[in-house]
Amino acid sequence: AEGGVRLARMKVTGDGNSKPLSPEEELPIDINYAKFTDWLMDRQKIKHDWRVGLRAIQEKVGTAIENLPDNEVLNAVKGTINVKEINYFTVKKIRDVLTSEKDTAQKNWLGQYKSQATKDWQAILALYHKDNIHLAEAAQIMVQNVQFEVPALRKIVQNCVKAQQELHRKEGEYKRGAEEFRTRYAKECAKLGIQGKEVKKELLQRSECLPSLYLEMAEALRSEQVAKACALYASFVEYSTPKAHPAGRALLPTLAAVHDGDLPTLAQMENIAFAEDAVTLEDMQSLINP
């Protein structure tokens, strides 16, 4: 039933308190989880002051946990235990480890354990069974889990699902952005005439065509069309500002030198272009970011 706990069977265990179940006791019953402790007290399965006994047990557990022997198996168990959350099931687990290990499971001729740690945890387990304190504690843990722990875990799961969805969305955005930048990078490399695998090396290789390119530019500047354009510009400047600017070669000295001077050979241009440290990192950056 909703809001309740279905118990297929209930069997009170303890020292001298175990007995077979009758057919009537095998029938399922519905108990509201929040009233389970009251149900146990109404049927005198636990005492009304069971919390006093539980506090006494917890004090003994706090002392006994510090006196556990140095054992590989016990150390592994202790590593998974929160001291503040030790309950009957944890105590039983530790007792089972102590009674199964060779060093702590030895008994004397009276059948008593020789290890003090084993005696202590065996006694704590007996205190749990006395007056069925372990049932009351289990009921308390169940109420705590149903009312607080399970809703908190459900909320954590919901937050994790939302976070996962958000991460999937961001992953898609990053993938699209990465593809966009790959495309832009390929276009920029194509503009520079390189593949983009080894940018610096490829750019340096591209510089091999610069000497011949410079000679072609110089030859173009020596053409008749450029000479006519220079003469027209000089005439215009002389006409518009006859006294403010010099005329003729002094107006365009670089073009005049290229036009009238001797052009260097291709070998000379290559010696200049490929001299040591002629191409610097700043030159490469200026090519990439003009």
Side-chain angles (χ1 to χ4, degrees), residues 28 47 52 67 165 216 222 232 285:
K47 294 183 177 181
V52 177
N67 298 328
Q165 293 173 347
E216 292 177 5
R222 292 164 66 93
L232 178 61
Q285 292 176 343

Side-chain angles (χ1 to χ4, degrees), residues 133-148:
I133 294 178
H134 63 299
L135 293 179
E137 184 190 56
Q140 177 180 261
I141 294 173
M142 180 180 64
V143 173
Q144 176 76 15
N145 289 342
V146 174
Q147 289 184 342
F148 303 104

